[in-house]
Amino acid sequence: MQPKRLLIATALMLAALAPGHLGVVTRGLMVDAYFGVSVFVAATLLLFYGSERLFRFDIGEALKATRRAQAPIAALMGATPGCGGAVVVVAAYSSGNVRFGAVVAALTATMGDAAFLLIATRPDAAVVVLPLSLVVGVISGWVIDWLRGDELNATPNGHCEAPYLFGKLRPRDVIYLLLAVPGLVIGVADLINIDTSALFGATLPLVLGLAGTAAGLAIWATSPLQAMTNAKDTPTTRMAEETSFIGVWVIGAFMAYEYAVEFAGLDLEVMFQTVMPVMPLIGILIGFVPGCGPQILVTTLYINGVVPFSVLMGNAISNDGDALFPAIALNPRAAVLATVYSAIPALIVAYGFYFLAPGFMS
């Protein structure tokens, strides 16, 4: 049991059950977060982890054997939605399997869990952000290896503490999966602009969305995990744990925006317009903050039209998501340097869009 998490989860559910406008707004954003993000995260993670289990692929050893292609492969792993690919590259670097350029490539290319939100809500922007981040990551990795050579390459430490192991499939994982399957159907219907109220009625989506949210909050509140799951756990367990973790951050970002607009009377668009010239820089600096919560908030602001594409692009390149946590734990110096190096291409690309294409994807 996690007392702080339990307190947060309880507060969120009480807000959803509150009478009046507060309850209506909270329930609406929870349902939107579940059908718009969580079900797609669950589907993606289940596919990724299921394939990993099926093919029994050791990416660390594979990267070590492809020295010249490390930066492109690491960038591709980083560009994969979520933080799993970047975390694997960081662990491989700590074990001496990859060069430092691969770490820079992965952390530069990754958008973290915010990629799931962007794909689910603005797929048109995602098809620009993710490939561009991938290209920038590859180039950054090659440049770092060319400039610094072997100076920053790690010496194998022979030890990397594995995440908590649950060991077997739990009933809560099955329940979460059973809720996510019909949730994905509704999520896809929403995505392609089908009237779900006419198709499923008004009650079913609301009940299913709140039930899925409650299940995710319960898993998160009682979980010993900090972010990533153990590769030895079942794909369903890993999906339920990580989707629940991401879902809480998404709800938090949605609440921060919706509450500010509905209850504080803030016009965020007008407020940000006053500091527009430094907005790309602010997005980049937010990217330095470890974790995916701040990055999801930046993506939420972009989706709602509050910040321009240049801010999203700068944040996408500079942020390392949850991968920065294991990077700091395994190799603090490498983590700091990789983050600093990612700021250079982030500034170039973000202000390139700001000055040369100010209205792009807005």
Side-chain angles (χ1 to χ4, degrees):
M1 187 67 67
Q2 304 286 330
K4 291 182 180 180
R5 292 187 180 187
L6 183 60
L7 182 63
I8 294 172
T10 301
L12 291 175
M13 291 310 298
L14 287 176
L17 296 173
H21 192 51
L22 173 63
V24 172
V25 171
T26 305
R27 289 191 294 272
L29 66 87
M30 283 184 171
V31 170
D32 288 344
Y34 183 71
F35 291 129
V37 182
S38 293
V39 294
F40 292 99
V41 173
T44 303
L45 291 180
L46 193 61
L47 178 63
F48 179 81
Y49 290 139
S51 300
E52 187 180 62
R53 175 66 62 89
L54 178 64
F55 296 108
R56 299 185 180 277
F57 189 60
D58 189 334
I59 190 63
E61 291 298 323
L63 283 169
K64 186 176 182 179
T66 57
R67 184 180 178 88
R68 294 184 181 275
Q70 281 183 5
I73 295 174
L76 183 61
M77 293 176 65
T80 303
C83 299
V87 170
V88 171
V89 173
V90 170
Y93 171 76
S94 183
S95 300
N97 287 327
V98 301
R99 295 161 60 86
F100 183 68
V103 177
V104 174
L107 295 183
T108 301
T110 190
M111 193 180 176
D113 296 334
F116 287 118
L117 175 59
L118 189 65
I119 292 170
T121 56
R122 283 293 303 271
D124 58 327
V127 298
V128 176
V129 173
L130 298 182
L132 183 55
S133 296
L134 172 64
V135 172
V136 172
V138 173
I139 295 173
S140 299
W142 279 341
V143 169
I144 291 300
D145 276 340
W146 176 59
L147 291 177
R148 305 301 297 268
D150 294 328
E151 178 185 349
L152 296 173
N153 291 338
T155 300
N157 57 25
H159 174 70
C160 178
E161 185 177 352
Y164 183 88
L165 176 65
F166 293 100
K168 62 180 181 180
L169 185 65
R170 305 164 301 175
R172 71 188 73 175
D173 305 326
V174 177
I175 291 173
Y176 194 86
L177 176 62
L178 292 176
L179 290 170
V181 171
L184 182 62
V185 175
I186 295 177
V188 171
D190 281 336
L191 193 62
I192 59 178
N193 295 318
I194 292 178
D195 186 354
T196 53
S197 296
L199 193 62
F200 304 107
T203 303
L204 178 61
L206 177 64
V207 172
L208 185 60
L210 292 177
T213 299
L217 288 173
I219 291 173
W220 174 76
T222 57
S223 175
L225 293 181
Q226 296 303 311
M228 300 305 300
T229 52
N230 195 304
K232 294 181 180 179
D233 276 318
T234 69
T236 302
T237 296
R238 301 183 72 187
M239 174 275 296
E241 285 284 341
E242 293 188 23
T243 304
S244 299
F245 182 87
I246 295 167
V248 172
W249 283 108
V250 174
I251 291 172
F254 277 29
M255 290 179 72
Y257 178 78
E258 292 292 342
Y259 281 14
V261 173
E262 292 288 337
F263 302 114
L266 293 179
D267 190 332
L268 295 178
E269 187 170 3
V270 171
M271 184 178 70
F272 281 121
Q273 287 289 340
T274 63
V275 293
M276 188 56 69
V278 297
M279 281 306 299
L281 177 60
I282 293 174
I284 291 168
L285 293 176
I286 292 174
F288 290 168
V289 180
C292 291
Q295 326 315 333
I296 290 173
L297 179 57
V298 170
T299 304
T300 301
L301 293 175
Y302 168 74
I303 291 168
N304 286 278
V306 177
V307 298
F309 182 81
S310 58
V311 176
L312 176 70
M313 199 67 243
N315 178 263
I317 293 175
S318 71
N319 97 71
D320 303 326
D322 292 329
L324 195 57
F325 289 122
I328 292 172
L330 294 171
N331 198 316
R333 179 170 178 262
V336 172
L337 285 175
T339 300
V340 171
Y341 288 148
S342 70
I344 299 173
L347 284 167
I348 295 172
V349 174
Y351 276 100
F353 276 106
Y354 180 79
F355 288 115
L356 301 178
F360 184 75
M361 300 299 294
S362 296

